[in-house]
Amino acid sequence: MSLYLCAAGNGKSSLQGLGSASVKTAPDNATPSKLPKASTGKDSKAKPRAGQNGASNRAATQSAKTGPSQSTSRPQSKATAKNNGASSKSPAASSKPAEAVAAIPDKGSDRSIVMPSTAAAQAASGASVGNAGSAAATRADRLASAGTQPTFIIPKVPGFHPERPVAHMPLMLYLPGIDGTGMAASRQFPNLMASFDFRAFSVPLSDRTPFTGLVDIINAYLEAEVDVDDPDRPVYLLGESFGGVLALAVAAAKTDLVDRLVLVNPATSYEASIWPRLGPVLAKLPDAAYTAIPYALSPVLGNPLALAAVNVDRSASLPTQAAQYAEGLQKLIPQLGYLSKILPPAVLQWKLELLKQGNAVVKPLLPNIQQRVFLLAADNDLLIPSKQEGPRLKNLLPRCRLKVLNGSHALLQEADVDLAQLMKDVGFYVTQRCMSAPVKKRAKSSFGSASPIEKPTIGELDYYAEGALNNLKTLQSPVFLSTAEDGEVQQGCGAIPLDRPLLLVSNHQTYALDIGPLIEGLLRQTGLLPRGLTHPAVFQGNLQQRKDKADPQSNVFGSLLTTFGSVEVGGRNFFKLMQNGECVLLYPGGVREAYKMRGEEYKLFWPKQPEFVRMAARFGATIVPFGGVGLDDGFEMLLDPSEIRAIPVLGKWLETNAKNSIPPARRGISQKSDIEELFIQPLPLPKLPQRLYFKFQRPIRTCPEDAKDPAKTQQIYEQAKRSCEDAISYLRVNREKDPYKDLLPRLFYERTWGGKQAPTFPLD
């Protein structure tokens, strides 16, 4: 909803117009405006096509503007600088867009606590704005209130020069709530601008662009501003309240241009709130009654105590703090009256319609949002049920991290909330995209596909490790060994080559419960994100249930694997991963090896066809065989798959179901394997967890010529299989020398030493 009280932070700031986009508006939106006009209509220049550089867009916008320019030029984006080159000094490119200024006063100002667009409301009513020094703010806010086109603006904050270099910084687009001023999060602007090339979306009061039209405007802006040839620069959307709904819709449409989402009390819970019933009633109240509504709703809109505390100097004496606090409360009360001017009845009615439209559009998109999401929810949001909505969104969004804060709907205006620092604390802030494989330009991609994906940060890895993987890691305390080219075995993964493409092949252990610790260890120690080729049954429930709008958390394991790069096993995905230069993780034994029979501990069930070697050699990949032990010793087999199949009636039903409802992993040539592969799980009895050990062997180099030589391909295949078996044998023998191979001594050591991992056997 975002009917915000805006408690301004330190320093004065203003907003610099970035230009606007073409929109179709209703007749009542035809208010004359001095803002740069959209390039529509017979008097305007042709709108630059999507994807043109930002300078061209601004030049076209400027050509439609009447009257002399009043602004400074905005800093060029990386795309703009790259595309403009020397031509940026031409008369058209150097034309300056009209400036939009809305001051955010400092502590000493009479307007230290203001509404997001107080000046706009006053200008619209003909009132004066603050002191005599705010003439520029009056002019700009009058233009904003009379404008007809949504536009992006750059806040002007002391210490941040309008032409400061920003191309090296992540881009963040702020999408505000229904107030639409672009100033609702003004208290966060200084810290956000220190970390981002920050822009804010501003929608004039008279605008009647429908929800999908607003999404189109933002999409077009992204196409113009994001340089697809610079894939390293991260792009964030910050969506607050209604802006969160907008951000989700844009993210769904622009997986190639948007990397990460920050959602603050998103209004996806609008339908579950009182506003669908109360809002239309409020819009029909008499003027006198409507003007009083903000005062009645002030505890709902935000926490007045937290808002008044924004400008309290915590280092001052207690009497001084008390005086500042009282002054803040006194100044807060008059600002409530501006709500009725920011959102008069007709505007409120339209904004509620936008919320209705947006929720209808976004609801089916939620399970398919590809970007990583940092979700902030206030536990005392009385405007919409954000506390309840947070867990619901966390379950629906595949890669969502939820943080519940003590606060109100106006969370970003409260004294103790520093959004930029929160993002850094949890590892959600990145200055460069780190991809799983080298990329030359941005392209549409999704988790679960063979396209390169952004690797998780250490903070994000910690989050997953402390959650889903924490218990496994604690109980298994994995040991990693690697072998250098000269055959020397060393602790850790340091000897694993970083060649690309890289193929890791290994034995599958029971239930494949070693995958999480393995991927985490490789990421932490080498930076490699192994893209696992995974049985389709793991994804079948996950992906199909999402399509059927079932509970996606019924397959948390599948969601976790796709987040960490797994794709469905198959020749096409294998080909694309190798072609992209990825690090690929393959278990040739497949489900037959993971669901072993009784007495088959650590036995390999690799097919006879050396197809994975042929594919790797085609791209000159380096193959690193490795072995893992520990899991097969952690279970006592009660019933193995063959014994389960022998159970009358039940066994036949399970076998038929496995054959008919679960797609096979082996297709084409591999499907002619001598190994029967049925997805029937054994019934084991867990024993005390055993320590995990991984040993990476000497790398095996291949070249494209090897793929054309069947004898050479078979030789490499046998070498890789033998090397994997040797690693297993080495680990099974040497782990007997590990004083901490058993659970209880290992846990005692690691608890005694504050979580430090217990040492392992000495290396010869």
Side-chain angles (χ1 to χ4, degrees):
M1 296 286 293
S2 188
L3 301 174
Y4 282 119
L5 296 175
C6 175
N10 294 345
K12 298 180 179 179
S13 81
S14 57
L15 302 174
Q16 177 183 345
L18 292 184
S20 53
S22 171
V23 295
K24 293 183 178 180
T25 56
D28 63 346
N29 193 28
T31 307
S33 170
K34 295 181 182 179
L35 284 176
K37 296 181 180 179
S39 28
T40 57
K42 61 183 180 180
D43 296 327
S44 302
K45 300 294 183 181
K47 177 187 173 185
R49 61 179 175 82
Q52 278 184 321
N53 63 66
S56 299
N57 188 20
R58 289 187 298 278
T61 301
Q62 176 63 19
S63 68
K65 184 181 72 67
T66 61
S69 171
Q70 300 287 344
S71 76
T72 57
S73 61
R74 75 164 183 83
Q76 285 186 329
S77 67
K78 193 165 187 177
T80 302
K82 181 174 180 178
N83 292 332
N84 283 353
S87 65
S88 64
K89 297 182 179 180
S90 66
S94 62
S95 297
K96 299 174 181 179
E99 183 181 28
V101 182
I104 302 179
D106 58 20
K107 291 182 181 179
S109 168
D110 290 336
R111 297 168 58 224
S112 59
I113 301 178
V114 298
M115 281 299 301
S117 191
T118 298
Q122 292 176 319
S125 63
S128 61
V129 185
N131 53 49
S134 60
T138 307
R139 181 192 68 249
D141 278 340
R142 189 187 298 276
L143 295 179
S145 65
T148 60
Q149 298 161 2
T151 185
F152 278 90
I153 54 182
I154 295 178
K156 295 174 69 176
V157 178
F160 299 96
H161 194 276
E163 297 189 22
R164 66 191 179 109
V166 293
H168 65 288
M169 305 175 76
L171 174 64
M172 174 178 274
L173 302 185
Y174 167 54
L175 310 180
I178 62 171
D179 64 283
T181 61
M183 293 289 287
S186 57
R187 185 179 175 275
Q188 305 293 330
F189 287 176
N191 289 343
L192 289 173
M193 291 189 70
S195 302
F196 294 94
D197 175 8
F198 184 78
R199 328 277 179 86
F201 193 48
S202 181
V203 182
L205 299 182
S206 58
D207 182 72
R208 295 296 182 269
T209 306
F211 180 83
T212 53
L214 294 175
V215 172
D216 289 342
I217 290 171
I218 300 168
N219 288 346
Y221 185 80
L222 283 166
E223 291 170 0
E225 290 296 315
V226 177
D227 185 1
V228 296
D229 294 321
D230 179 16
D232 298 332
R233 189 189 195 198
V235 177
Y236 289 75
L237 295 183
L238 166 58
E240 187 177 21
S241 193
F242 170 67
V245 183
L246 271 176
L248 287 164
V250 172
K254 294 297 176 185
T255 59
D256 54 335
L257 301 181
V258 176
D259 305 310
R260 291 169 177 263
L261 300 182
V262 181
L263 305 179
V264 182
N265 292 331
T268 48
S269 60
Y270 169 73
E271 293 178 351
S273 73
I274 195 175
W275 290 100
R277 299 177 296 278
L278 179 61
V281 175
L282 293 180
K284 296 177 181 179
L285 289 176
D287 290 346
Y290 187 83
T291 303
I293 289 298
Y295 299 96
L297 294 179
S298 58
V300 175
L301 302 177
N303 181 351
L305 301 181
L307 293 172
V310 166
N311 289 324
V312 174
D313 184 356
R314 303 298 176 88
S315 63
S317 64
L318 289 179
T320 301
Q321 290 187 45
Q324 292 173 342
Y325 192 76
E327 182 182 5
L329 283 173
Q330 182 181 8
K331 292 179 179 179
L332 179 64
I333 295 173
Q335 308 309 320
L336 291 169
Y338 291 123
L339 278 175
S340 59
K341 296 179 181 179
I342 295 299
L343 292 173
V347 175
L348 175 62
Q349 191 168 4
W350 171 247
K351 299 292 187 176
L352 294 176
E353 173 62 23
L354 282 179
L355 281 166
K356 180 180 178 181
Q357 293 176 11
N359 275 264
V361 169
V362 165
K363 185 176 181 179
L365 302 177
L366 294 176
N368 299 310
I369 298 297
Q370 295 299 314
Q371 293 84 352
R372 290 180 170 88
V373 178
F374 183 35
L375 172 60
L376 296 180
D379 64 356
N380 196 31
D381 185 348
L382 302 180
L383 199 64
I384 53 177
S386 295
K387 184 178 180 180
Q388 294 74 28
E389 181 69 358
R392 188 185 81 90
L393 284 180
K394 184 178 183 295
N395 287 340
L396 284 172
L397 298 170
R399 276 155 286 280
C400 178
R401 180 169 185 176
L402 169 65
K403 188 173 185 66
V404 179
L405 297 178
N406 181 20
S408 65
H409 190 69
L411 197 59
L412 296 184
Q413 295 300 332
E414 298 191 1
D416 296 326
V417 176
D418 184 343
L419 179 59
Q421 190 59 49
L422 282 172
M423 293 172 62
K424 293 172 183 177
D425 289 344
V426 300
F428 201 75
Y429 174 73
V430 295
T431 58
Q432 187 174 22
R433 296 170 77 216
C434 294
M435 307 300 290
S436 60
V439 292
K440 295 182 179 180
K441 64 189 310 179
R442 286 180 170 271
K444 286 188 177 293
S445 63
S446 62
F447 289 87
S449 74
S451 303
I453 62 172
E454 185 181 354
K455 294 189 291 187
T457 65
I458 293 299
E460 290 167 336
L461 187 58
D462 289 340
Y463 170 70
Y464 285 104
E466 293 168 3
L469 302 178
N470 187 46
N471 292 335
L472 285 177
K473 184 179 178 182
T474 300
L475 296 174
Q476 296 171 338
S477 188
V479 172
F480 292 87
L481 306 174
S482 56
T483 310
E485 298 273 5
D486 60 3
E488 179 185 1
V489 179
Q490 57 184 256
Q491 293 275 2
C493 301
I496 299 175
L498 302 181
D499 303 354
R500 295 302 184 95
L502 182 66
L503 176 61
L504 309 177
V505 292
S506 182
N507 62 302
H508 239 329
Q509 298 189 65
T510 303
Y511 278 117
L513 295 178
D514 56 338
I515 291 178
L518 171 67
I519 293 177
E520 183 197 358
L522 285 170
L523 262 171
R524 289 191 189 278
Q525 297 189 38
T526 68
L528 291 172
L529 177 61
R531 306 291 304 275
L533 289 165
T534 308
H535 195 286
V538 174
F539 302 108
Q540 185 184 34
N542 185 52
L543 299 179
Q544 188 59 45
Q545 285 168 357
R546 288 185 185 279
K547 291 176 182 177
D548 295 341
K549 302 179 183 179
D551 180 8
Q553 292 304 298
S554 61
N555 196 338
V556 177
F557 187 57
S559 292
L560 185 64
L561 288 181
T562 57
T563 298
F564 282 86
S566 289
V567 300
E568 185 176 310
V569 67
R572 180 175 298 178
N573 280 339
F574 193 9
F575 177 90
K576 289 181 179 179
L577 292 172
M578 288 282 103
Q579 185 181 52
N580 291 336
E582 296 273 11
C583 171
V584 179
L585 174 62
L586 175 66
Y587 295 96
V591 70
R592 173 63 181 87
E593 208 167 85
Y595 293 163
K596 295 179 175 66
M597 305 296 181
R598 192 185 306 276
E600 294 180 346
E601 294 82 5
Y602 304 114
K603 183 177 180 180
L604 298 187
F605 290 91
W606 290 16
K608 292 181 179 179
Q609 292 82 6
E611 293 309 306
F612 76 82
V613 172
R614 200 183 325 276
M615 183 72 78
R618 182 174 179 177
F619 294 95
T622 298
I623 301 175
V624 178
F626 71 98
V629 303
L631 274 181
D632 285 1
D633 303 298
F635 297 95
E636 183 72 37
M637 193 69 68
L638 296 181
L639 291 173
D640 68 25
S642 64
E643 294 168 335
I644 291 175
R645 292 171 68 181
I647 297 175
V649 183
L650 176 62
K652 186 65 176 178
W653 180 85
L654 289 173
E655 182 177 344
T656 302
N657 182 67
K659 288 180 178 179
N660 296 337
S661 64
I662 300 178
R666 304 186 191 278
R667 302 180 182 89
I669 296 177
S670 298
Q671 196 170 14
K672 301 176 182 178
S673 168
D674 54 313
I675 299 172
E676 183 183 27
E677 186 174 82
L678 285 179
F679 210 88
I680 299 178
Q681 302 180 17
L683 181 61
L685 178 66
K687 298 188 294 187
L688 284 178
Q690 301 295 303
R691 191 169 201 178
L692 289 185
Y693 301 84
F694 300 101
K695 182 174 184 283
F696 293 86
Q697 300 289 74
R698 288 184 184 180
I700 302 172
R701 315 287 178 183
T702 69
C703 63
E705 287 72 24
D706 295 337
K708 304 173 184 177
D709 185 346
K712 182 65 174 179
T713 302
Q714 188 65 36
Q715 176 189 341
I716 296 174
Y717 178 83
E718 296 297 337
Q719 180 185 356
K721 184 178 181 181
R722 185 168 57 252
S723 183
C724 181
E725 291 172 331
D726 291 345
I728 294 171
S729 298
Y730 174 93
L731 293 173
R732 296 185 73 181
V733 170
N734 283 276
R735 70 174 174 171
E736 298 303 319
K737 307 173 188 177
D738 185 351
Y740 301 103
K741 71 179 181 67
D742 294 324
L743 178 64
L744 295 181
R746 185 170 67 252
L747 287 179
F748 179 78
Y749 178 96
E750 294 180 350
R751 292 292 186 272
T752 302
W753 288 89
K756 178 183 177 182
Q757 186 179 34
T760 186
F761 57 82
L763 301 180
D764 298 331

